[in-house]
Amino acid sequence: MRLALTVNAWNDEDLLFAEQFGVTHLLAAPVAPAGQAWDAARIAAMRNRIQKAGFQFAGLDGLPQSLDALVKRVLMGETGEESLADVSDFIVRAGEAGVPLIRYDLGGPAPDLERRPEGRGRAQVRRLAPVDDGPADGVPADGAQWERAAAAARRVASAAESAGVRMACRPGRPFSRPDAWQRLIDAAPSPAHGLDFSRGDLLRWPDADPVEAIHHFGRQGRIFLAEEANWKRDASGLAEAFLDEPAPADEAHPGALLLQSLRAYREIGFDGAIRPAPPPGIAGDTAWGHIGQAFHAGYLRAWLQALERA
Amino acid sequence: MKIALAVGATREEAQFAAQVGARHAVIGGPDSPRGLVEYDALLKIQDLFAEFGLEVCAIENVPIHFYDQVMFGLPGRDAQLDHYCATIRNMSRAGIPILGYNWMLLGGLSTDVVRGRGGARERRFEWDAALRNRAAAFDWRNPLGTIHLPDRDLSSEEVWENLTVFLQRVVPVAEEYGVKLAAHPDDAPIPSFLGVARILHDLDALQRVVDTVPSPCNGLDFCQGTISEMTGVNVIDAIHHFGRQGKIVFAHYRAVRGQVPRFDEVFMDEGDTDMFAAMRAYKEVGFDGPMRADHTPGVVGDNAYAHRGFAFEIGYMRAMAQAADLAAAAQAKGGR
């Protein structure tokens, strides 16, 4: 398990920032320099920048915006799955350029509310409205939605397999319920198709067991990438939290659930990248959240060292 | 233990500390024309911090001109000692239980700023360089006041005598008012500089401080960084040694690479000390006082308060503290 951050690889300052805080693996945000096309040469140039700076290039954290929008349109049924040919092309080009992994969203983001200063020390946090059986994105997908999602996953997996790229799927609305994750995996049974596993996504579901889920998907070799995020449940719903804040189940022993999760990752032999989720907003921080990212990087870095030395 | 941060008396710094999860703040003693820490000044700072749920758990260092005559054994010594005792009484009244101090007559020493990981700016001390370029080794930016440059040498015996006078006068007052004194080792820990002894440069000296006037209120500001800079010292053993005696009243959690004659102040995760073992050692000896992040290397794009650097350090400390707690709980249960 390697500490990673997602950065804009064209920004020298972000590369220095990551290196200074002991990060060894980088995911690149899927952005090209202004006005430049995303061809194989451009992607290779980005990979080179990261590797020359001394990092392991862990992959792309998302599809370029236009392709991500295309996937969403296909899922909505606004256009047929044949229009995913552009996505397949991109995956092939990325493979040629030496990209080992691409994270992609299958589904929409949770309908979160505006950030409000309601976190620790009045940090700006997102909130999710409560529903009876989980967060507001908990409406199960219908049959047609499932068919479209399965077709998209198969197409992506097929391109990835031939390109030698691994696609890390982040299930979104309406496929974000934990039981839907396995269904998405089963829809595209390929060694090139797995999960961007966010423990935070599972914390949002009252009955989910993230540690068991790591074992479950890990046994299948389907965790390609990991994210640490934290949500706290209170009377008015779910609120984003810093990684060190204990979840309700964790209050007697802060960090216990994280420790169990890290042990589970180790037990399944996960040797990929683990990265912190975007942090709550700290007063005076940048839009990307450099101070918050530094806090989370320090927190995860120490946990990984403690795990090694325990 | 209480994970703390040294915080200036501004709203911005208090909010940062709260956001990264600190509930305890360490402050420098506010300056005053009378040469003592005034009660009203403490109340003002406490009010400011209370808005963010921060408790002032320690004062670390008063301005140097509050006690320089004592350190150097000069004629104004007795008046300064009276004022120092008044500071302790005012702290007690304000409910601040720890007073950290140092006995570095010529202040902290470093000789260079070098490029560390990712080009981060790290402080270096190199003894040879300090001898070659003595003025440059001074901590001229010392916020606590101008360094007093004596016109003669001061021997170790003389400086010890001055410290003993201080302890004999101040420790009983600290005990009466329930304030714990915490002596910081000399950083860099070398025995003398410019002919002036730096007496707190090894573990024997730290033991001598606490033995000179035995009292539960005569303890150490256990600067893990400085202690790990001491030649041949194993800092984990030192935590056990002083922690078992209950003499660690305040700790600085910091990593260093190298020891005297040369060391660099590096990020917490890349120093010579096993920081998990260190955190476990503090737990094992039952240390429950404040532990603060200390220096941080200079990182890219940081603000004047070094919030990026300190955020990394506080996050690191928080995780190590949680991991050490869980390891202790597992051990108590007979697990791993």
Side-chain angles (χ1 to χ4, degrees):
Chain A
M1 202 168 356
R2 311 292 179 175
L3 178 62
L5 276 183
T6 298
V7 299
N8 178 346
W10 306 107
N11 185 336
D12 287 338
E13 188 177 316
D14 281 1
L15 296 181
L16 278 180
F17 176 89
E19 186 181 354
Q20 289 177 347
F21 289 125
V23 172
T24 53
H25 287 50
L26 285 187
L27 287 146
V31 289
Q36 296 190 12
W38 262 115
D39 56 17
R42 188 63 48 205
I43 302 171
M46 188 183 66
R47 174 180 56 78
N48 279 336
R49 270 180 71 78
I50 289 175
Q51 290 174 335
K52 269 193 182 164
F55 297 97
Q56 289 286 321
F57 176 44
L60 284 177
D61 195 346
L63 290 167
Q65 202 176 5
S66 61
L67 299 179
D68 177 61
L70 198 55
V71 174
K72 286 186 170 56
R73 288 181 59 206
V74 169
L75 291 180
M76 302 281 284
E78 293 171 9
T79 179
E81 59 148 313
E82 64 284 353
S83 55
L84 290 176
D86 286 352
V87 175
S88 299
D89 282 352
F90 178 79
I91 294 169
V92 170
R93 273 182 281 144
E96 288 164 7
V99 173
L101 174 146
I102 303 172
R103 186 191 72 78
Y104 80 108
D105 288 303
L106 201 56
D112 54 10
L113 307 174
E114 290 263 306
R115 277 188 158 183
R116 284 189 277 182
E118 294 174 356
R120 185 168 67 188
R122 296 183 212 147
Q124 297 279 343
V125 293
R126 289 182 297 152
R127 276 196 162 277
L128 291 175
V131 294
D132 290 339
D133 65 343
D137 54 338
V139 183
D142 64 26
Q145 285 172 317
W146 267 115
E147 275 174 32
R148 293 194 291 267
R154 272 195 297 273
R155 239 180 204 275
V156 162
S158 157
E161 215 169 300
S162 60
V165 175
R166 300 205 301 168
M167 296 300 291
C169 170
R170 182 75 171 266
R173 192 164 48 129
F175 313 107
S176 43
R177 298 175 67 93
D179 53 0
W181 295 20
Q182 183 64 49
R183 206 166 155 185
L184 286 176
I185 290 295
D186 293 341
S190 156
H193 194 250
L195 289 173
D196 169 22
F197 187 94
S198 173
R199 204 168 65 90
D201 283 0
L202 288 180
L203 287 175
R204 291 157 45 187
W205 300 88
D207 53 350
D209 180 344
V211 177
E212 163 51 28
I214 292 170
H215 281 291
H216 175 79
F217 292 108
R219 270 195 302 269
Q220 303 172 60
R222 286 290 177 265
I223 298 181
F224 287 1
L225 182 62
E227 182 191 78
E228 268 305 313
N230 199 7
W231 292 87
K232 283 168 76 170
R233 188 177 297 278
D234 59 27
S236 53
L238 287 153
E240 215 173 17
F242 290 99
L243 293 184
D244 63 309
E245 296 183 73
D250 214 14
E251 238 150 38
H253 300 287
L257 288 176
L258 175 59
L259 174 60
Q260 288 172 33
S261 301
L262 294 177
R263 283 197 175 132
Y265 281 126
R266 193 169 60 176
E267 281 157 20
I268 64 167
F270 175 65
D271 63 355
I274 184 164
R275 69 204 193 285
I282 284 184
D285 208 352
T286 58
W288 183 65
H290 284 86
I291 296 174
Q293 296 273 8
F295 180 73
H296 278 174
Y299 183 74
L300 284 182
R301 176 89 176 133
W303 263 113
L304 293 177
Q305 284 190 338
L307 191 71
E308 225 170 72
R309 291 167 184 174
Chain B
M1 71 187 58
K2 304 167 178 122
I3 292 188
L5 200 58
V7 182
T10 67
R11 213 172 168 277
E12 203 175 350
E13 289 178 85
Q15 182 166 24
F16 168 76
Q19 290 184 332
V20 294
R23 290 181 190 157
H24 297 88
V26 175
I27 60 169
D31 204 350
S32 80
R34 289 209 300 163
L36 58 91
V37 172
E38 304 281 4
Y39 173 68
D40 289 348
L42 295 178
L43 281 196
K44 251 187 215 165
I45 297 172
Q46 286 175 314
D47 282 351
L48 175 73
F49 287 1
E51 182 187 344
F52 294 101
L54 275 182
E55 180 191 324
V56 178
C57 64
I59 289 180
E60 185 171 358
N61 296 323
V62 294
I64 211 90
H65 66 85
F66 284 17
Y67 71 118
D68 57 345
Q69 308 284 305
V70 189
M71 286 203 289
F72 286 92
L74 295 172
R77 180 177 79 184
D78 290 341
Q80 284 192 340
L81 283 168
D82 287 345
H83 286 155
Y84 207 93
C85 292
T87 290
I88 291 170
R89 287 192 291 272
N90 287 340
M91 286 177 61
S92 173
R93 196 174 156 207
I96 301 172
I98 293 171
L99 176 54
Y101 68 97
N102 72 73
W103 212 255
M104 291 184 274
L105 278 65
L106 299 185
L109 302 176
S110 59
T111 58
D112 207 349
V113 174
V114 295
R115 293 288 184 182
R117 188 168 68 190
R121 294 166 78 89
E122 296 172 349
R123 294 207 319 187
R124 166 173 292 174
F125 175 80
E126 204 166 359
W127 203 345
D128 281 352
L131 297 175
R132 278 199 308 274
N133 191 359
R134 296 184 294 181
F138 277 121
D139 187 1
W140 292 111
R141 292 178 63 241
N142 185 347
L144 302 172
T146 312
I147 301 293
H148 182 107
L149 269 181
D151 60 358
R152 63 184 181 86
D153 291 356
L154 276 94
S155 68
S156 166
E157 290 72 23
E158 194 175 346
V159 179
W160 268 113
E161 195 183 316
N162 295 342
L163 176 57
T164 303
V165 166
F166 170 82
L167 291 171
Q168 285 173 340
R169 174 72 204 282
V170 167
V171 171
V173 176
E175 200 169 313
E176 184 184 348
Y177 284 88
V179 171
K180 288 186 173 176
L181 293 167
H184 188 292
D186 288 10
D187 189 3
I190 56 171
S192 74
F193 186 66
L194 279 176
V196 176
R198 296 172 70 78
I199 56 175
L200 304 186
H201 72 279
D202 63 15
L203 299 184
D204 287 345
L206 297 181
Q207 187 63 51
R208 183 170 165 185
V209 170
V210 298
D211 289 345
T212 294
V213 180
S215 160
C217 288
N218 183 16
L220 299 176
D221 178 349
F222 192 91
C223 178
Q224 188 184 307
T226 305
I227 289 166
S228 66
E229 292 158 9
M230 295 173 177
T231 310
V233 164
N234 177 319
V235 77
I236 313 286
D237 291 346
I239 295 168
H240 281 288
H241 176 77
F242 290 107
R244 271 199 297 268
Q245 302 174 59
K247 288 300 174 193
I248 302 180
V249 299
F250 180 21
H252 294 178
Y253 193 68
R254 176 157 70 88
V256 174
R257 195 183 295 133
Q259 290 186 319
V260 169
R262 189 177 104 162
F263 56 84
D264 293 338
E265 299 183 359
V266 298
F267 290 100
M268 282 185 182
D269 62 311
E270 57 165 358
D272 293 336
T273 300
D274 177 340
M275 298 297 269
F276 183 52
M279 192 63 89
R280 291 197 68 177
Y282 289 112
K283 300 271 179 196
E284 281 158 16
V285 299
F287 171 62
D288 62 356
M291 169 186 278
R292 79 167 174 89
D294 202 353
H295 314 162
T296 174
V299 303
V300 62
D302 214 345
N303 63 16
Y305 306 117
H307 280 162
R308 292 183 184 183
F310 280 116
F312 179 81
E313 298 208 337
I314 292 284
Y316 187 93
M317 288 171 76
R318 170 85 56 209
M320 282 298 181
Q322 290 181 352
D325 274 338
L326 291 168
Q331 201 167 30
K333 271 191 191 168
R336 306 189 240 191

